[in-house]
Amino acid sequence: MTDKRYYAPSELILNSDGTVFHLHLSPAQISDKVILVGDPDRVTMIARHFQSIECEVSNREFHTITGLCNGKRITALSTGIGCGNIDIVLNELDALANIDFSTREDRDAHTTLSLVRIGTCGGLQMETGLGSYVCSRRSIGLDGLLNFYAGRDAVCDTPLQEAFIRHMGWENLNCGLPYAAVEDEELTARIAGSDMLQGITVSAGGFFGPQGRFLRAQPMDLRQNEKIESFEWKGMRINNYEMESSALAGLAAILGHKAACVCMVVAGRRTKEAFTDYHEAMDRLISTVLERI
């Protein structure tokens, strides 16, 4: 029997009330079914579907509500924007599920979380029109976050990564090495059903230049979006841009959890259109995920 690892106070930071540092949650306050959203207000939207609320906690951009919905105990949690915040949320959720805070050692049995991100995105194909729902099977991370973790290659589609780099002409990068994280197959199929478009997502490290947006600061590669739109891999195309799914899928797999990502298109990057009054369509997506999680 191997010795359990001890997690020092500088590594697993706990607040004076025993909650984990950023999320301000205790282990009893989370479910093994977690819906992740970027916007703290979207947590409230999700909770309106709950028949009862068990707890509500807010700290910084992290807003959490756990309750019952259709007989299922579900946690809705906002992550804020970007893969850096996903790094915080995933590690702290895993700690809540799998570390005994009283001993600072691993629990005897591993708990697997089912994590579903509901987000917004930019559509990159003509069929990803405004208001459409896109479920990721692979997420290409341009942020570089997963490159800091051991086991990165084991949870990634490295042939896809290499083909993408060649297609983009990014062999000599000045930015982080892209990685192609793989979403959980069973959970993704269940969430996507037969009515959502599936394929590849690109997770960017920012909203403007990293997504090929050109305001006053010019992107490094002016043909970036054109090349991304034309990429194909084993019958899949890149459907959308967003900013979190690669870190979610990759870290979840490394930590032994299941992850899926579904986004609603609010910007048509090819048609140059935007959809800002999307709350009704988002509420329908929330209802669908709550049924299928």
Side-chain angles (χ1 to χ4, degrees), residues 18 34 37 44 96 124 127 130 141 151 172 203 219-220 230 233 238 266 288 291:
V34 183
V37 295
T44 304
L96 287 162
L124 291 167
E127 60 266 34
L130 298 181
N172 299 308
S203 295
M220 174 186 68
S230 65
W233 176 254
I238 297 176
V266 298
T288 299
E291 289 172 5

Side-chain angles (χ1 to χ4, degrees), residues 88-104:
I88 292 171
V89 171
L90 258 290
N91 277 287
E92 291 197 353
L93 280 175
D94 178 72
L96 287 162
N98 290 302
I99 296 176
D100 185 331
F101 286 5
S102 63
T103 63
R104 293 182 169 272

Side-chain angles (χ1 to χ4, degrees), residues 148-167:
F148 290 87
Y149 285 92
R152 170 249 201 238
D153 287 351
V155 301
C156 287
D157 189 334
T158 52
L160 167 57
Q161 166 196 311
E162 292 163 2
F164 176 77
I165 291 170
R166 288 193 302 271
H167 178 82

Side-chain angles (χ1 to χ4, degrees), residues 9-26:
S10 61
E11 310 306 295
L12 173 61
I13 304 176
L14 301 179
N15 300 307
S16 59
D17 61 358
T19 59
V20 72
F21 185 60
H22 295 93
L23 301 184
H24 274 234
L25 296 172
S26 63

Side-chain angles (χ1 to χ4, degrees), residues 139-155:
S139 292
I140 299 175
L142 306 184
D143 56 285
L145 186 139
L146 213 65
N147 298 330
F148 290 87
Y149 285 92
R152 170 249 201 238
D153 287 351
V155 301

